Amino acid sequence: MFKDYNMNQVILPMDLAYQLQKDDVAFAVHDLVESIPTEAFERFHRKTGCPAYHPKMMLKVILCAYTQSVFSGRKIEGLLNDSVRMMWLAQGYQPSYRTINRFRVDPDVKDLLRQCFVQFRAQLVQEDVIDEEAIFIDGTKIEANANKFTFVWKKSIQRYSSDLIVKSNNLYDELISKEILPAMERESDEELTVEELDSVADQLTKTVQQYDHQIEASEDPQERKRLRTERKEPKKYRSKVKDFLERKARYKKDLAILEDRNSYSKTDHDATFMRMKDDYMRNGQLKAGYNLQIATEGQYTLAYDIFPNPTDTKTLSPFLHQIEQEFFSLPAYIVADAGYGSEQNYEDVWTNHSRTPLMTYGMYRKEKKKAYQNHPYHAFNWEYDKEEDCFLCPNGQKVTYRYTSNRKDHMGFQRTFKVYECEDCTHCPFRDSCTKAENGRNRKVYYNEKWELQKTYIRELLSETKAGDIYRQRKVDVEPVFGFLKANLRFTRMSVRGKDQVHNELGFALMAVNLRKYTANKTPDHVDYPTKSFRRSFLIFGSFFTFTRNLFVPAS
């Protein structure tokens, strides 16, 4: 006996929501978008033309498609015909892929996505999922939608531009010396401007035209031949000047696109070439990409931004400023890894934001090792005389204070160093091991007093129980989000080009990860740890179990 199955029987249409499971991700998408204030959608109103699809419906459809790892406009259009959850969210409407693509790159969508993150965080706080004690910051590189062979390097452009200046000056001097052109007034003796090169090209064109008129007017074959021979030289110079003009304009445009970056892609001008993670054969991958920065708590992304910097050090200050301006007030603790630990970042968190930075620095782990602390040639392990303001080297020589040095990085941040120099390293038996200075020069020690005080404070802070527990939570809080994004959602490469469009697409992808995790935690069969303190206790217990096991179980 079979259940009734008849393709010829008419079935009345019913609400598609009844065909969805109670904990389907479509309901989470619907509730999130409906929580956005109505005022946020008013900017999409159009007084003329055909009525547009409602931005709520478009936002729901794209978010739901991203939760299903569908990022193509054409595939999203296909889901509207096949997926029950997509048909329910669209309520029978079927926007084309062009409409979908135009909507997700619309500049006004950026504020809608910001509202999504703000409302999602408010919901997490209301349900007591996060405690607002700390945020965990980290970054990853996402490959741009660009060809990896379309690179433009800043150093190459600068070198080519310098060579072009020399060649154009030499060409101008050659034209003057051969009396092909008269000398003209120049703005600078160092470089010919675009206007001056254009003027030279016009004068050469007039000279060539004069030869053309003389050739046409002459009836003597020998005279015509001589004029053609003389015309070759100004035509050759005119061709070179036009080439210089084109190259100069191109280099100027390239430098304007580069700004402070070292490279860009011809396919996507906002993308910067970065060293990606090694492939399976351990080959380094240099590709155009974006540096994605996120702030998380409870493995949920609460804020994000993209930067052209390949490293994370210079991204913290602008990212924190953006979080305060657009997303939420910063909690008491700012947690990040050693890639963010710098003098500028510590000062910014303390001074500008009045928060506590739980961030290590590059040498944090190495400085804790006994081999480093007992190293005889590290200046900070030497005996220090506070009254004379000098160190005592292993050879018994005084390393005295000489002068103060100020250094600025390319971002304009200034660091102050006290420079100490040894009295005499000429006949020192430890010279080869102690210093790399040339013969005749003594060893110098550069001491940044402010930086050393910051490092001391960080070491003492992380030695406290509460701060240490929060910092150890970083690995299990922010790192898994990148795994969910790249492995579970399979979002590893952008499908749009341009910084604004990329910013929107990453907002859709990160919110899709949040919604999938939120929905999974709501399912009845999902085992979730009730509080953050439980997770911390679990980590501490795991570390203790590993330690005791290593004591009593012999190594194989």
Side-chain angles (χ1 to χ4, degrees), residues 8-35:
N8 298 319
Q9 183 177 354
V10 178
I11 300 176
L12 294 176
M14 62 183 300
D15 188 359
L16 294 174
Y18 289 104
Q19 300 185 31
L20 299 175
Q21 295 182 4
K22 184 179 180 180
D23 54 354
D24 195 273
V25 71
F27 295 115
V29 172
H30 170 73
D31 294 339
L32 175 65
V33 177
E34 291 294 333
S35 66

Side-chain angles (χ1 to χ4, degrees), residues 43 376 383 511:
R43 66 185 66 188
E383 182 182 347
M511 183 50 65

Side-chain angles (χ1 to χ4, degrees), residues 110 113-114 117 292-295 301-307 319 322-323 326-327 502-508 510:
K110 181 179 180 180
L113 289 169
R114 183 188 66 82
F117 282 92
L292 169 64
Q293 297 289 312
I294 64 172
T301 302
L302 307 180
Y304 76 101
D305 200 2
I306 56 173
F307 296 89
F319 187 38
Q322 190 213 24
I323 292 175
E326 299 185 4
F327 291 94
V502 166
H503 193 278
N504 285 359
E505 185 171 35
L506 284 171
F508 282 115
L510 291 170

Side-chain angles (χ1 to χ4, degrees), residues 446-460:
Y446 291 83
Y447 183 79
N448 188 340
E449 188 174 7
K450 185 178 180 181
W451 173 237
E452 295 302 325
L453 290 174
Q454 289 177 346
K455 293 198 298 183
T456 302
Y457 176 80
I458 292 298
R459 287 194 295 268
E460 293 176 355

Side-chain angles (χ1 to χ4, degrees), residues 237-279:
Y237 285 123
R238 184 182 62 174
S239 178
K240 285 186 178 181
V241 172
K242 288 184 176 181
D243 178 58
F244 290 165
L245 275 170
E246 293 177 0
R247 290 167 57 186
K248 195 175 188 67
R250 186 169 69 249
Y251 297 155
K252 184 178 180 180
K253 179 182 176 182
D254 289 338
L255 291 174
I257 294 173
L258 284 165
E259 294 182 341
D260 296 331
R261 296 179 295 163
N262 293 325
S263 63
Y264 80 88
S265 171
K266 295 178 183 177
T267 314
D268 184 355
H269 290 176
D270 292 333
T272 307
F273 278 84
M274 306 176 182
R275 180 68 63 180
M276 303 290 181
K277 291 290 181 67
D278 294 348
D279 60 11

Side-chain angles (χ1 to χ4, degrees), residues 191-207:
E191 179 182 359
L192 283 166
T193 63
V194 175
E195 292 77 12
E196 290 169 348
L197 280 173
D198 198 18
S199 177
V200 171
D202 290 341
Q203 294 183 37
L204 288 171
T205 300
K206 291 179 181 178
T207 303

